[in-house]
Amino acid sequence: MNKRVVLPLVVFAILIAFLAIGLTRDPREVPSPLINKPAPAFDLELLAQPGQHLSLQDMRGKVWLLNVWASWCVACREEHPLLLEFSREALVPLIGLDYKDQRAEAVAWLSRFGNPYAAAIMDVSGSTGIDYGVYGVPETFLIDKEGVIRYKRIGPLTREALRNEVLPLLKKLDG
Amino acid sequence: MAEPTPSVEALDARVRDIASRLRCLVCQNQTIADSHADLALDLRAQIREQLERGATEKDIERYMVARYGEFILYNPPLHASTSLLWFGPALLVAGGLAGLGFAIRRRARLAQSGAPIAHDPDDSLADS
């Protein structure tokens, strides 16, 4: 074949390859710089017990999930049944971070839809959320025994993500 | 409320200036200065607070990048993973110019050899 035909075809194929890779990626998903970094410290009031606090230190030695959620967050309802299911299996503690929310509304939300959390803490100002780079509630973090963030999911947790990403990592870290 | 003093205005201007170089992650095509999203408000407050504490622009940039990644910077730093972004356009221009140069020289050569350009067998797809 003539190189006049081959060259444009090669250029076209390269272009197609780039576009095809582009299509498989979500531009809204920002890779977190926090993966494999120590989880930012926090010391926040418990939703259910005003006056009592839970801090990052309290979770040392455990593999656990931090789920950022809020009663005003519509997408949180989407992942909620999955969280309830997960909490029934009680593999690791699931801690809820109630992001920029009102206590009464959050409590009402949990009693209406069910409470999957071993404990829920309140980030009223949203400053812990900023430390964790939260920008799209819900978000889920997997934190290991040394307090290092090993996984982060932005947006609702899906069954596939739970089965293919979270559970294998949990087994590995908790083994 | 006290009358805004020049230093307050200066602080406002610095907050705006820094915020205008940061991407709002909730509404990705706006800057933190332009956005009315809740997170953008919080981050502007955070910038102001840090400036009041005496932080430099570099400090604030580092603070944001540590949490949200380099994606938050509208002006991406130059390193290996961003080199294609920085040099890609120049490479494309160079490639185009080289191709153009080859084509012009070829045509000049063909014209000199006396062959009519329109009948260049290599120019026609049907001949391949």
Side-chain angles (χ1 to χ4, degrees), chain A:
Chain A
M1 251 208 300
N2 195 307
K3 74 166 192 262
R4 291 236 160 175
V5 182
V6 176
L7 192 66
L9 274 181
V10 168
V11 172
F12 185 64
I14 291 171
L15 188 67
I16 290 292
F18 267 94
L19 293 176
I21 293 167
L23 275 180
T24 64
R25 303 175 70 167
D26 181 1
R28 294 197 61 91
E29 208 149 291
V30 182
S32 176
L34 289 165
I35 304 290
N36 294 330
K37 299 263 168 63
F42 61 82
D43 185 13
L44 295 167
E45 204 177 6
L46 289 165
L47 178 68
Q49 290 103 359
Q52 285 188 49
H53 287 233
L54 181 82
S55 72
L56 183 67
Q57 277 304 317
D58 298 332
M59 299 309 292
R60 280 254 151 179
K62 289 179 196 145
V63 178
W64 58 291
L65 287 181
L66 180 72
N67 178 246
V68 184
W69 125 99
S71 69
W72 49 260
C73 154
V74 180
C76 295
R77 280 177 219 184
E78 206 178 294
E79 69 170 7
H80 200 66
L82 200 61
L83 293 181
L84 286 170
E85 219 174 277
F86 177 83
S87 71
R88 273 196 291 273
E89 288 177 37
L91 295 170
V92 297
L94 176 65
I95 305 294
L97 181 77
D98 187 19
Y99 179 67
K100 301 197 78 168
D101 207 353
Q102 312 270 329
R103 189 188 298 272
E105 283 172 31
V107 169
W109 196 91
L110 286 181
S111 59
R112 183 171 161 206
F113 295 108
N115 184 355
Y117 304 119
I121 44 182
M122 298 199 64
D123 180 20
V124 179
S125 70
S127 60
T128 301
I130 289 179
D131 283 341
Y132 278 79
V134 170
Y135 68 88
V137 194
E139 291 192 10
T140 306
F141 297 81
L142 201 169
I143 298 167
D144 73 9
K145 291 176 179 167
E146 280 76 47
V148 174
I149 296 176
R150 302 303 290 266
Y151 172 84
K152 176 187 182 181
R153 166 126 190 138
I154 297 155
L157 211 55
T158 60
R159 200 169 290 278
E160 290 71 43
L162 194 62
R163 191 179 47 220
N164 300 336
E165 293 163 32
V166 178
L167 292 180
L169 198 55
L170 272 185
K171 290 214 176 77
K172 201 179 106 193
L173 294 171
D174 210 18

Side-chain angles (χ1 to χ4, degrees), chain A residues 2 4-5 27-28 30-31 33-34 99-100 125 129-135, chain B residues 25-26 28 38-39 42-43 63 65-69 71 106 122-123 125 128:
Chain A
N2 195 307
R4 291 236 160 175
V5 182
R28 294 197 61 91
V30 182
L34 289 165
Y99 179 67
K100 301 197 78 168
S125 70
I130 289 179
D131 283 341
Y132 278 79
V134 170
Y135 68 88
Chain B
L25 292 124
V26 186
Q28 289 185 357
D38 236 20
L39 183 63
D42 287 351
L43 290 180
Y63 172 93
V65 169
R67 282 157 182 76
Y68 299 100
F71 189 72
R106 227 176 84 87
D122 214 23
D123 246 352
L125 293 184
S128 58

